[in-house]
Amino acid sequence: MRSRVTWDLCWAWYHVLPEAQQGQIARMGFGHLLSVHPFHLDVPYLEALRERWEEDCKAFIMPWGHMIPTLEDVAYLTGLSVQGEPVVGLERRDYYDDIVELLGPEFVVGRRRPIRSILLGSLSKAVGLRGRRRGPLESLDEFYAGVRGSLNLGDRSEERSVRIFVSYLFGRLLFATQSSQMNCKFVLLLRDLAQAGRYAWGAAMLGHLFSLLPSSSQRSQSTGGFTPFLQIWGYTRFPMGRGTLVEGRQMMVPLMTRWEVAPDPRVTDRRAGDVRVALDHYPHDQVVWTPYVGEADASHPAVAAGRPLFDRHLLLLCLGTCEVLYLELVVRTLGWHQPAIEVPSLGREGHSRRRFFAEDRDWEADHGSTVAYWRDGGEQVARVTDLQDSSAYMEDYQARYAG
C-alpha cells in the first residue's frame, strides 16, 4: 500500500514560513495539527485495518464488534474543529479566474481551459520545494534545514503564500487522494482567510476518509485520506503495531503528539499478514472503548465546541461527498452498555453510496437543520441528530438519497 501523504514537507514548510503567516494558518484551525512532529506510517497495520472496512455500515468489522472513528477522536487526536460551517463549495465549469485571483497567474500558464483541478506539484514548485522529500536516513532537523534553505516565497503577497501552503496541506495531507491533483473547490474556501477558521475541517476530513476507504479496501496500490489519523486512532483503541506512547510527552490536545512510531522497514505481504493474524487474536478485554475518559484537556476549543456532536448521528460533508456517521453501531464508544444483538444491514442501496454533483448544490436546502446546527450550535435540530428512532431516520435517508 502506497500512501500519498507527504507530512514531512507540510510540517517543515509550515515551520519555516514567516511568523505572521504561521499565525494566520493557526487561526484558520491548523496550528494544533501542524505542531505534531511527523511520524512513520505503519503501512502493514494500515493495510490490515483498511481491509476490515465495511461500506454497508460505515464501520470497521473487528472480531469484538464494530468500531468507527468519531468526531470525538478527530477533536482529541488532531485538534481540528468538528463544529462549524460544513466544508462545501460551489461547482463551476471553469476555475481559471479564481485561480489567477487567489493563487497567481503562474498556476494557469500553459494549461487548457476549463481548469477544474490544481497540480499539487505546481504548488511546491512555486516556492522552490518541488521534489523535496525526506531521505530514509535524514533526520527531521536535517530535512527542516534543507527546506529552510530552499523555500523562496518571492514577492507574492502574504495572502497568496498562505493559500498556496494551505492548498498543498489539503491535497497532500488532510484531503489526500490517489491523484496528484486537487479539486479547485478547496481553493474557493480560502478566498477570505479571516473567515476560513469557521469551517468544520475535522468533520470534513473524517467524511473524506470514509469516502475513500471503500476504494482503498480492494488491495489497490495507494490510498487516500488522512491516514496518520487512522493509524493513531487504531493505536488508541487496540494498541499494537509499531506505535508506542512516550513517557512524559505532552498531555494536551492534539493527542497524536503522544505517540512515537518506529521507522518503517520494507513492507512485505508477510508483515501485513502478521498484523492480520494479530488483529484476529487480539484479546477482546484489552480493547479500549473510551480512551478519553479523564483527559485533562477537555476545555480545548476543538473538544469543548465539538462535545455536543460527539454522541449524535450526523452527515459528514466534504465538497460533493456526503457520508453518514452512524454511531448506534458503537454505543460502547460513547461509554454506554451495548448488548450482544444482531445489527441489521443498512443495505447498499442509498445509504452506502457516495454522491457527487456536477452542478451548484445548495446543501442547506437538503440538510437545512443539520447545517443550521453546525452553524449555530443550537438544540433546535435535536429531532435530526438525536435520532431516537434511528431506523425511521435511515428509512427516510435512503428514500431521499437512493438512486
Side-chain angles (χ1 to χ4, degrees), residues 26-79:
R27 289 190 294 274
M28 294 167 68
F30 308 117
H32 294 293
L33 178 63
L34 289 166
S35 70
V36 179
H37 281 217
F39 48 76
H40 294 277
L41 287 181
D42 193 342
V43 178
Y45 182 85
L46 285 167
E47 182 162 344
L49 182 59
R50 70 174 187 161
E51 290 172 354
R52 294 177 175 272
W53 178 259
E54 175 54 52
E55 174 70 355
D56 281 353
C57 53
K58 302 291 184 183
F60 293 100
I61 308 301
M62 312 302 290
W64 50 84
H66 298 77
M67 300 197 84
I68 304 175
T70 68
L71 295 182
E72 183 179 28
D73 294 305
V74 174
Y76 270 105
L77 293 179
T78 71

Side-chain angles (χ1 to χ4, degrees), residues 87-128:
V87 177
V88 295
L90 289 177
E91 182 80 23
R92 302 192 195 282
R93 184 179 180 276
D94 187 1
Y95 293 87
Y96 182 98
D97 294 335
D98 300 295
I99 298 304
V100 170
E101 175 192 356
L102 300 177
L103 298 181
E106 64 268 33
F107 293 98
V108 298
V109 173
R111 297 193 61 187
R112 293 182 178 180
R113 302 183 69 166
I115 293 178
R116 301 175 63 85
S117 62
I118 287 289
L119 301 174
L120 293 170
S122 68
L123 296 170
S124 55
K125 179 182 178 180
V127 295

Side-chain angles (χ1 to χ4, degrees), residues 84-341:
E85 295 278 349
V87 177
V88 295
L90 289 177
E91 182 80 23
R92 302 192 195 282
R93 184 179 180 276
D94 187 1
Y95 293 87
Y96 182 98
D97 294 335
D98 300 295
I99 298 304
V100 170
E101 175 192 356
L102 300 177
L103 298 181
E106 64 268 33
F107 293 98
V108 298
V109 173
R111 297 193 61 187
R112 293 182 178 180
R113 302 183 69 166
I115 293 178
R116 301 175 63 85
S117 62
I118 287 289
L119 301 174
L120 293 170
S122 68
L123 296 170
S124 55
K125 179 182 178 180
V127 295
L129 298 179
R130 179 71 179 269
R132 290 292 308 184
R133 288 185 176 275
R134 183 180 172 187
L137 301 179
E138 189 175 15
S139 70
L140 188 60
D141 288 339
E142 291 170 339
F143 181 69
Y144 168 84
V147 171
R148 175 181 286 276
S150 301
L151 184 70
N152 179 13
L153 300 178
D155 59 355
R156 61 175 53 90
S157 68
E158 177 179 306
E159 290 76 13
R160 281 187 174 175
S161 294
V162 168
R163 291 191 190 103
I164 290 171
F165 169 78
V166 175
S167 296
Y168 191 85
L169 177 73
F170 287 168
R172 287 298 193 196
L173 194 67
L174 289 184
F175 306 107
T177 68
Q178 298 177 23
S179 170
S180 60
Q181 303 182 41
M182 184 192 71
N183 194 316
C184 286
K185 285 191 283 188
F186 279 116
V187 180
L188 296 187
L189 300 173
L190 304 178
R191 183 179 298 277
D192 186 350
L193 296 179
Q195 296 297 315
R198 73 184 189 271
Y199 291 108
W201 298 115
M205 180 274 290
L206 188 60
H208 178 77
L209 180 64
F210 281 9
S211 74
L212 293 181
L213 278 170
S215 61
S216 66
S217 298
Q218 306 301 320
R219 300 194 62 82
S220 61
Q221 293 300 305
S222 62
T223 187
F226 186 28
T227 48
F229 162 76
L230 184 61
Q231 178 175 319
I232 300 301
W233 169 80
Y235 288 170
T236 64
R237 302 291 180 162
F238 33 96
M240 56 178 292
R242 289 195 297 275
T244 55
L245 281 170
V246 180
E247 292 290 336
R249 190 67 65 86
Q250 75 165 41
M251 303 301 291
M252 309 299 278
V253 171
L255 300 187
M256 290 177 73
T257 303
R258 296 180 180 178
W259 290 88
E260 194 170 84
V261 183
D264 189 6
R266 182 176 179 178
V267 176
T268 66
D269 289 339
R270 181 186 61 81
R271 288 194 56 82
D274 290 344
V275 180
R276 295 186 193 104
V277 172
L279 281 174
D280 287 338
H281 296 89
Y282 193 82
H284 296 194
D285 59 353
Q286 294 183 22
V287 176
V288 181
W289 290 96
T290 53
Y292 312 115
V293 173
E295 285 292 345
D297 200 18
S299 62
H300 184 277
V303 175
R307 183 169 290 108
L309 304 181
F310 289 167
D311 61 350
R312 301 177 185 272
H313 304 292
L314 291 170
L315 302 176
L316 303 174
L317 308 181
C318 182
L319 299 187
T321 303
C322 176
E323 297 288 340
V324 174
L325 181 61
Y326 190 62
L327 293 181
E328 196 158 288
L329 296 173
V330 289
V331 296
R332 289 182 66 183
T333 297
L334 308 176
W336 302 340
H337 172 69
Q338 182 166 338
I341 60 175

